[in-house]
Amino acid sequence: MSINIAIDGPAGAGKSTIAKAAAKALGYIYVDTGALYRSVAYYVMLRGKDVNNRSAVEILLQDIVPELKYIDGEQHVFVNGEDVTGKIRTPEVSMATSVVSAIPRVRDFLFNLQQKIAVENNVIMDGRDIGTVVLPNADLKIFLTASPEARAERRYKELSQKGNAPAYEQVLSDIIKRDREDSTRKIAPLKQAEDAVLLDTTDMTLEEATETIIGMIAKVRK
Ligand code: DC
């Protein structure tokens, strides 16, 4: 039986950095489910459709083949054979993803793919509904959070390093808007599972948070 670790939480809480580092240290596969939702939004935009047009998005799902591949230990996301790993990280794709991820058929479409990966591998899977919907029987569920300001600061630094950062205030207001959309939507809202451990990383470095999580996982493996 594979070991499944679920990490959920809002944008910018450090989920992907922490989950990736912990997975590397433990030899697990890291699955960034947000990248799958992003790849759907990217494809809708590529085809020139409006993400707010629900039926247009639903029709396009028939044409989308998302895949996760691991190249030198790094997750790459492919859509219909194209490696879109870098292209799905723009602020425009982030906002569009928040819209498409609220569509029930989009969630159903990605559900089986996520479950299949978890059945076949030891995984650390991060997202918004992993502990509540995708892996309700996960061996360990962690809800990772931090204040909106701390998250905006981290995201701002990350975007600055890539050379395309909007103003800090814009990053903060995007985070607050996405939090609201992700946690108030009717389907699979961002919510802490009842049996999840809460970890607030506002006053922690990402290294400290990673060590804490590796320690928690080590306990469930015993
Ligand atoms: O983690 P991220 O920032 O890459 O997520 C992008 C968007 O996808 C975010 O608005 C929430 C959504 N998402 C989701 O609804 N369910 C998931 N399991 C992962 C992400």
Side-chain angles (χ1 to χ4, degrees), residues 182-203:
D182 292 344
S183 48
T184 56
R185 69 184 178 208
K186 287 204 191 77
I187 179 161
L190 169 65
K191 189 171 95 200
Q192 182 178 346
E194 274 177 21
D195 50 351
V197 180
L198 176 68
L199 187 62
D200 185 328
T201 66
T202 304
D203 297 317

Side-chain angles (χ1 to χ4, degrees), residues 11 15 32-35 37-38 89 94 97-98 101 107 114 127-130 155 178 182 185:
K15 295 189 302 291
D32 166 10
T33 62
Y37 287 93
R38 285 171 181 273
R89 297 286 155 199
S94 298
T97 306
S98 196
S101 63
R107 304 203 73 85
Q114 296 171 78
R128 302 294 189 287
D129 62 337
I130 308 306
R155 191 48 59 98
R178 275 218 284 157
D182 292 344
R185 69 184 178 208

Side-chain angles (χ1 to χ4, degrees), residues 15-172:
K15 295 189 302 291
S16 61
T17 311
I18 294 168
K20 203 187 284 177
K24 194 169 180 196
L26 296 163
Y28 287 23
I29 283 189
Y30 162 58
V31 184
D32 166 10
T33 62
L36 293 171
Y37 287 93
R38 285 171 181 273
S39 72
V40 170
Y42 170 83
Y43 189 78
V44 172
M45 291 161 80
L46 183 73
R47 292 286 298 268
K49 303 288 181 197
D50 178 359
V51 287
N52 293 294
N53 182 342
R54 194 168 273 214
S55 54
V57 175
E58 289 174 351
I59 290 168
L60 271 185
L61 288 177
Q62 298 167 10
D63 299 344
I64 308 182
V65 183
E67 283 172 289
L68 293 183
K69 294 185 186 171
Y70 294 86
I71 303 172
D72 297 331
E74 290 284 321
Q75 176 186 279
H76 284 245
V77 195
F78 286 76
V79 181
N80 298 15
E82 180 193 359
D83 186 342
V84 297
T85 312
K87 294 179 183 168
I88 57 173
R89 297 286 155 199
T90 64
E92 293 74 26
V93 174
S94 298
M95 296 319 278
T97 306
S98 196
V99 179
V100 300
S101 63
I103 302 175
R105 286 214 197 138
V106 170
R107 304 203 73 85
D108 289 347
F109 175 70
L110 295 174
F111 178 81
N112 294 338
L113 176 59
Q114 296 171 78
Q115 278 211 330
K116 184 167 181 283
I117 298 171
V119 167
E120 292 172 354
N121 303 280
N122 289 337
V123 294
I124 301 184
M125 190 173 277
D126 85 24
R128 302 294 189 287
D129 62 337
I130 308 306
T132 50
V133 177
V134 180
L135 303 176
N137 299 319
D139 300 276
L140 173 66
K141 300 178 185 179
I142 297 165
F143 194 81
L144 201 66
T145 189
S147 69
E149 292 74 16
R151 290 186 280 128
E153 205 155 304
R154 290 176 194 162
R155 191 48 59 98
Y156 176 73
K157 272 196 195 141
E158 193 182 307
L159 292 170
S160 299
Q161 277 162 8
K162 290 184 191 150
N164 58 349
Y168 166 80
E169 288 71 26
Q170 181 64 45
V171 178
L172 178 61

